[in-house]
Amino acid sequence: GTKKKAACPGLGLFYTILSAFLFSVASLFLKKIEDVHSVEVSAFRCVFQMAFVLPGLIYYKTGFLGPKGKRVFLFFRGFLGSTAMVLLYYAYQVMPLADATVITFTSPVFTSLLAWIFLKEKYSLWDLLFTLFAVTGVILIARPPFLFGSRVAGIEGSYSDHLKGTVAAIASTLSAASTIVILRKVGKSVHYFLSIWYYAVIGLIGCVIALFVLNEWRLPHCGRDRVFLILIGLLGLGGQIFLTKALQIEKAGPVSIMKTMDVVFAFILQVLFLNHLPTWWTVGGALCVVASSSGTAIRKWRHSVKKAKQGEI
């Protein structure tokens, strides 16, 4: 592993950029789908996850349920992770691509807050400042009428849909942050593949139940939409693989900072393929959120480096 790092020192960051690009293109295809509910798209994504993880579970002989003491945590990891995916896909469908992407980048800030509440991790004044920056960014993107007036520019469709998308994106971010806290609680006692397995199985079951309740289960009529569904599954899987590989050979801090390329790609794809120019409010909100998430990542990175040096001494 050390030789590989020396031979190609920027490989982990390249994997992160490639992961961000694949996730962004998958989001673009989601915006292009016209006749498929976000829950159904999520169900297809879960099927791809299961098909990828199943051979790994068999190879590593991890079983399908996991250790008895960890199954409750794995269940909530799967439930919250799949809920985050469904809500995010809904947000992508009803609001501008860049706006939804930016809101998801508040996840590191909320992770720090939840880790302070449930895991008793340290929460400093800097973390509070980054949280306020993130909230400011979300407000600039949501642009509530009582602050910005009744005429809100730069949104897709009605303001009601924009508000629903904002709420869904925030709820998705909180669910994703909760998932990370649960994974920290579980630690390395559960194999990574088993964690994804719970995510995919519980997500698929939940999506199928929701589709029958909503009466939204149907195959897309257009052949293009079917191709987009397959591509979303493949690109989402590829993005997750490259992000995992990046975290295996690079520190989490630089990866978290480089992952902000998601926002850059979202803005570029929105302008080029959706013909939707972001407003200055969105740009301002993006700068606030990116500064917040980058600051959080840098602080965590510096803390881990300092702790490692103390361990060596």
mmCIF file of all heavy atoms in Angstrom, residues 40 45 49 59 87 105 107 112 115 120 129 132 150 171 182 186 200 208 217 257 260 274 280 297 302:
data_model
loop_
_atom_site.group_PDB
_atom_site.id
_atom_site.type_symbol
_atom_site.label_atom_id
_atom_site.label_comp_id
_atom_site.label_asym_id
_atom_site.label_seq_id
_atom_site.Cartn_x
_atom_site.Cartn_y
_atom_site.Cartn_z
ATOM 1 N N GLU A 40 -39.386 4.955 -7.135
ATOM 2 C CA GLU A 40 -39.109 3.850 -8.049
ATOM 3 C C GLU A 40 -37.656 3.881 -8.521
ATOM 4 O O GLU A 40 -37.005 2.832 -8.646
ATOM 5 C CB GLU A 40 -40.050 3.903 -9.258
ATOM 6 C CG GLU A 40 -39.933 2.687 -10.161
ATOM 7 C CD GLU A 40 -41.003 2.653 -11.239
ATOM 8 O OE1 GLU A 40 -41.975 3.432 -11.153
ATOM 9 O OE2 GLU A 40 -40.864 1.829 -12.157
ATOM 10 N N ARG A 45 -32.044 1.574 -7.917
ATOM 11 C CA ARG A 45 -30.696 1.771 -7.371
ATOM 12 C C ARG A 45 -30.380 0.688 -6.325
ATOM 13 O O ARG A 45 -29.270 0.149 -6.299
ATOM 14 C CB ARG A 45 -30.612 3.168 -6.752
ATOM 15 C CG ARG A 45 -29.362 3.444 -5.927
ATOM 16 C CD ARG A 45 -28.138 3.671 -6.781
ATOM 17 N NE ARG A 45 -26.977 3.869 -5.928
ATOM 18 C CZ ARG A 45 -26.607 5.034 -5.402
ATOM 19 N NH1 ARG A 45 -27.326 6.122 -5.634
ATOM 20 N NH2 ARG A 45 -25.516 5.121 -4.667
ATOM 21 N N GLN A 49 -27.345 -2.176 -6.100
ATOM 22 C CA GLN A 49 -26.500 -2.317 -4.918
ATOM 23 C C GLN A 49 -26.461 -3.774 -4.458
ATOM 24 O O GLN A 49 -25.407 -4.315 -4.127
ATOM 25 C CB GLN A 49 -27.047 -1.450 -3.782
ATOM 26 C CG GLN A 49 -27.049 0.045 -4.063
ATOM 27 C CD GLN A 49 -25.724 0.704 -3.730
ATOM 28 O OE1 GLN A 49 -24.729 0.460 -4.380
ATOM 29 N NE2 GLN A 49 -25.719 1.523 -2.706
ATOM 30 N N TYR A 59 -18.189 -14.152 -0.743
ATOM 31 C CA TYR A 59 -16.732 -14.316 -0.773
ATOM 32 C C TYR A 59 -16.117 -14.134 0.616
ATOM 33 O O TYR A 59 -15.253 -14.916 1.031
ATOM 34 C CB TYR A 59 -16.128 -13.316 -1.756
ATOM 35 C CG TYR A 59 -14.620 -13.363 -1.835
ATOM 36 C CD1 TYR A 59 -13.972 -14.355 -2.575
ATOM 37 C CD2 TYR A 59 -13.848 -12.414 -1.172
ATOM 38 C CE1 TYR A 59 -12.597 -14.402 -2.645
ATOM 39 C CE2 TYR A 59 -12.465 -12.458 -1.234
ATOM 40 C CZ TYR A 59 -11.839 -13.454 -1.973
ATOM 41 O OH TYR A 59 -10.468 -13.499 -2.026
ATOM 42 N N LEU A 87 -35.340 10.738 -0.408
ATOM 43 C CA LEU A 87 -35.593 12.177 -0.243
ATOM 44 C C LEU A 87 -34.711 13.007 -1.161
ATOM 45 O O LEU A 87 -35.156 14.013 -1.728
ATOM 46 C CB LEU A 87 -35.363 12.577 1.219
ATOM 47 C CG LEU A 87 -36.382 12.031 2.222
ATOM 48 C CD1 LEU A 87 -35.921 12.309 3.650
ATOM 49 C CD2 LEU A 87 -37.758 12.649 1.989
ATOM 50 N N PHE A 105 -24.424 19.199 0.989
ATOM 51 C CA PHE A 105 -23.069 19.399 1.510
ATOM 52 C C PHE A 105 -23.058 19.981 2.920
ATOM 53 O O PHE A 105 -21.986 20.239 3.464
ATOM 54 C CB PHE A 105 -22.258 20.283 0.557
ATOM 55 C CG PHE A 105 -21.488 19.479 -0.436
ATOM 56 C CD1 PHE A 105 -22.111 18.985 -1.563
ATOM 57 C CD2 PHE A 105 -20.163 19.165 -0.226
ATOM 58 C CE1 PHE A 105 -21.425 18.211 -2.470
ATOM 59 C CE2 PHE A 105 -19.465 18.390 -1.115
ATOM 60 C CZ PHE A 105 -20.097 17.911 -2.246
ATOM 61 N N SER A 107 -24.065 18.111 5.190
ATOM 62 C CA SER A 107 -24.008 16.869 5.950
ATOM 63 C C SER A 107 -22.862 16.810 6.964
ATOM 64 O O SER A 107 -23.083 16.406 8.111
ATOM 65 C CB SER A 107 -23.924 15.672 4.994
ATOM 66 O OG SER A 107 -23.885 14.466 5.704
ATOM 67 N N SER A 112 -21.248 16.527 12.731
ATOM 68 C CA SER A 112 -20.528 16.982 13.927
ATOM 69 C C SER A 112 -21.493 17.282 15.064
ATOM 70 O O SER A 112 -21.241 16.937 16.230
ATOM 71 C CB SER A 112 -19.703 18.234 13.598
ATOM 72 O OG SER A 112 -18.726 17.956 12.630
ATOM 73 N N ALA A 115 -22.961 13.964 16.336
ATOM 74 C CA ALA A 115 -21.927 13.208 17.056
ATOM 75 C C ALA A 115 -21.692 13.811 18.442
ATOM 76 O O ALA A 115 -21.411 13.090 19.408
ATOM 77 C CB ALA A 115 -20.627 13.211 16.251
ATOM 78 N N LYS A 120 -21.039 12.104 22.262
ATOM 79 C CA LYS A 120 -20.275 12.934 23.198
ATOM 80 C C LYS A 120 -18.932 13.381 22.619
ATOM 81 O O LYS A 120 -17.954 13.556 23.354
ATOM 82 C CB LYS A 120 -20.049 12.190 24.524
ATOM 83 C CG LYS A 120 -21.316 11.619 25.159
ATOM 84 C CD LYS A 120 -22.355 12.689 25.413
ATOM 85 C CE LYS A 120 -23.642 12.102 26.019
ATOM 86 N NZ LYS A 120 -24.716 13.115 26.156
ATOM 87 N N LEU A 129 -19.768 27.912 14.441
ATOM 88 C CA LEU A 129 -19.665 28.897 13.359
ATOM 89 C C LEU A 129 -19.930 28.240 12.009
ATOM 90 O O LEU A 129 -20.662 28.794 11.165
ATOM 91 C CB LEU A 129 -18.270 29.534 13.372
ATOM 92 C CG LEU A 129 -17.999 30.584 12.286
ATOM 93 C CD1 LEU A 129 -18.920 31.779 12.448
ATOM 94 C CD2 LEU A 129 -16.535 31.027 12.328
ATOM 95 N N LEU A 132 -23.615 27.646 11.566
ATOM 96 C CA LEU A 132 -24.328 28.879 11.205
ATOM 97 C C LEU A 132 -24.104 29.223 9.728
ATOM 98 O O LEU A 132 -25.027 29.687 9.043
ATOM 99 C CB LEU A 132 -23.853 30.031 12.097
ATOM 100 C CG LEU A 132 -24.226 29.907 13.586
ATOM 101 C CD1 LEU A 132 -23.606 31.058 14.387
ATOM 102 C CD2 LEU A 132 -25.738 29.901 13.765
ATOM 103 N N SER A 150 -42.296 38.031 -2.034
ATOM 104 C CA SER A 150 -43.143 37.022 -2.669
ATOM 105 C C SER A 150 -42.658 36.633 -4.061
ATOM 106 O O SER A 150 -42.978 35.559 -4.556
ATOM 107 C CB SER A 150 -44.586 37.534 -2.764
ATOM 108 O OG SER A 150 -44.631 38.752 -3.487
ATOM 109 N N ALA A 171 -33.956 17.086 5.046
ATOM 110 C CA ALA A 171 -34.251 15.827 5.737
ATOM 111 C C ALA A 171 -33.310 14.718 5.270
ATOM 112 O O ALA A 171 -32.856 13.890 6.066
ATOM 113 C CB ALA A 171 -35.703 15.425 5.489
ATOM 114 N N ILE A 182 -24.190 6.489 13.147
ATOM 115 C CA ILE A 182 -24.421 5.065 13.452
ATOM 116 C C ILE A 182 -23.223 4.230 13.030
ATOM 117 O O ILE A 182 -22.778 3.327 13.758
ATOM 118 C CB ILE A 182 -25.701 4.576 12.759
ATOM 119 C CG1 ILE A 182 -26.930 5.210 13.415
ATOM 120 C CG2 ILE A 182 -25.806 3.046 12.826
ATOM 121 C CD1 ILE A 182 -28.224 4.924 12.693
ATOM 122 N N VAL A 186 -20.911 1.777 15.295
ATOM 123 C CA VAL A 186 -20.643 0.371 14.986
ATOM 124 C C VAL A 186 -19.144 0.125 14.854
ATOM 125 O O VAL A 186 -18.619 -0.903 15.294
ATOM 126 C CB VAL A 186 -21.381 -0.039 13.695
ATOM 127 C CG1 VAL A 186 -20.947 -1.421 13.235
ATOM 128 C CG2 VAL A 186 -22.888 -0.002 13.918
ATOM 129 N N ALA A 200 -29.315 -1.658 1.020
ATOM 130 C CA ALA A 200 -30.002 -2.014 -0.216
ATOM 131 C C ALA A 200 -31.280 -2.809 0.048
ATOM 132 O O ALA A 200 -32.333 -2.526 -0.546
ATOM 133 C CB ALA A 200 -29.064 -2.821 -1.118
ATOM 134 N N VAL A 208 -40.656 -0.567 -2.328
ATOM 135 C CA VAL A 208 -41.755 -1.356 -2.912
ATOM 136 C C VAL A 208 -43.054 -1.101 -2.147
ATOM 137 O O VAL A 208 -44.120 -0.899 -2.754
ATOM 138 C CB VAL A 208 -41.393 -2.855 -2.902
ATOM 139 C CG1 VAL A 208 -42.608 -3.696 -3.279
ATOM 140 C CG2 VAL A 208 -40.245 -3.125 -3.864
ATOM 141 N N TRP A 217 -46.212 2.450 -8.903
ATOM 142 C CA TRP A 217 -45.345 1.443 -9.512
ATOM 143 C C TRP A 217 -45.734 1.222 -10.972
ATOM 144 O O TRP A 217 -46.816 0.772 -11.279
ATOM 145 C CB TRP A 217 -45.448 0.124 -8.742
ATOM 146 C CG TRP A 217 -44.589 -0.949 -9.340
ATOM 147 C CD1 TRP A 217 -44.976 -1.922 -10.204
ATOM 148 C CD2 TRP A 217 -43.185 -1.131 -9.141
ATOM 149 N NE1 TRP A 217 -43.912 -2.713 -10.548
ATOM 150 C CE2 TRP A 217 -42.791 -2.252 -9.914
ATOM 151 C CE3 TRP A 217 -42.222 -0.470 -8.379
ATOM 152 C CZ2 TRP A 217 -41.485 -2.704 -9.954
ATOM 153 C CZ3 TRP A 217 -40.922 -0.925 -8.408
ATOM 154 C CH2 TRP A 217 -40.559 -2.031 -9.187
ATOM 155 N N ILE A 257 -12.717 17.524 1.263
ATOM 156 C CA ILE A 257 -12.554 18.823 0.597
ATOM 157 C C ILE A 257 -12.708 18.674 -0.915
ATOM 158 O O ILE A 257 -13.408 19.451 -1.574
ATOM 159 C CB ILE A 257 -11.182 19.426 0.942
ATOM 160 C CG1 ILE A 257 -11.108 19.719 2.445
ATOM 161 C CG2 ILE A 257 -10.941 20.714 0.156
ATOM 162 C CD1 ILE A 257 -9.725 20.063 2.934
ATOM 163 N N THR A 260 -16.133 18.475 -2.717
ATOM 164 C CA THR A 260 -16.910 19.670 -3.066
ATOM 165 C C THR A 260 -16.975 19.882 -4.577
ATOM 166 O O THR A 260 -17.730 20.741 -5.048
ATOM 167 C CB THR A 260 -16.304 20.917 -2.401
ATOM 168 O OG1 THR A 260 -14.929 21.045 -2.765
ATOM 169 C CG2 THR A 260 -16.402 20.827 -0.886
ATOM 170 N N LEU A 274 -29.359 21.551 -18.773
ATOM 171 C CA LEU A 274 -30.711 21.871 -18.314
ATOM 172 C C LEU A 274 -31.104 23.314 -18.621
ATOM 173 O O LEU A 274 -32.224 23.731 -18.319
ATOM 174 C CB LEU A 274 -30.817 21.617 -16.799
ATOM 175 C CG LEU A 274 -30.533 20.169 -16.352
ATOM 176 C CD1 LEU A 274 -30.572 20.063 -14.834
ATOM 177 C CD2 LEU A 274 -31.543 19.203 -16.973
ATOM 178 N N TRP A 280 -27.595 34.515 -8.208
ATOM 179 C CA TRP A 280 -26.522 34.912 -7.289
ATOM 180 C C TRP A 280 -26.810 34.441 -5.869
ATOM 181 O O TRP A 280 -25.893 34.212 -5.086
ATOM 182 C CB TRP A 280 -26.328 36.420 -7.331
ATOM 183 C CG TRP A 280 -25.659 36.884 -8.589
ATOM 184 C CD1 TRP A 280 -26.208 37.596 -9.614
ATOM 185 C CD2 TRP A 280 -24.294 36.626 -8.970
ATOM 186 N NE1 TRP A 280 -25.292 37.806 -10.603
ATOM 187 C CE2 TRP A 280 -24.100 37.233 -10.236
ATOM 188 C CE3 TRP A 280 -23.227 35.951 -8.371
ATOM 189 C CZ2 TRP A 280 -22.878 37.171 -10.903
ATOM 190 C CZ3 TRP A 280 -22.012 35.894 -9.036
ATOM 191 C CH2 TRP A 280 -21.848 36.505 -10.282
ATOM 192 N N ALA A 297 -14.159 19.752 7.528
ATOM 193 C CA ALA A 297 -13.257 18.676 7.114
ATOM 194 C C ALA A 297 -11.814 18.979 7.494
ATOM 195 O O ALA A 297 -11.080 18.096 7.963
ATOM 196 C CB ALA A 297 -13.362 18.473 5.601
ATOM 197 N N ARG A 302 -6.971 18.024 10.696
ATOM 198 C CA ARG A 302 -5.884 18.501 11.544
ATOM 199 C C ARG A 302 -5.905 17.818 12.910
ATOM 200 O O ARG A 302 -4.858 17.476 13.469
ATOM 201 C CB ARG A 302 -5.982 20.018 11.724
ATOM 202 C CG ARG A 302 -5.622 20.822 10.480
ATOM 203 C CD ARG A 302 -5.693 22.308 10.740
ATOM 204 N NE ARG A 302 -4.761 22.695 11.783
ATOM 205 C CZ ARG A 302 -4.695 23.925 12.299
ATOM 206 N NH1 ARG A 302 -5.534 24.866 11.877
ATOM 207 N NH2 ARG A 302 -3.808 24.213 13.229
#
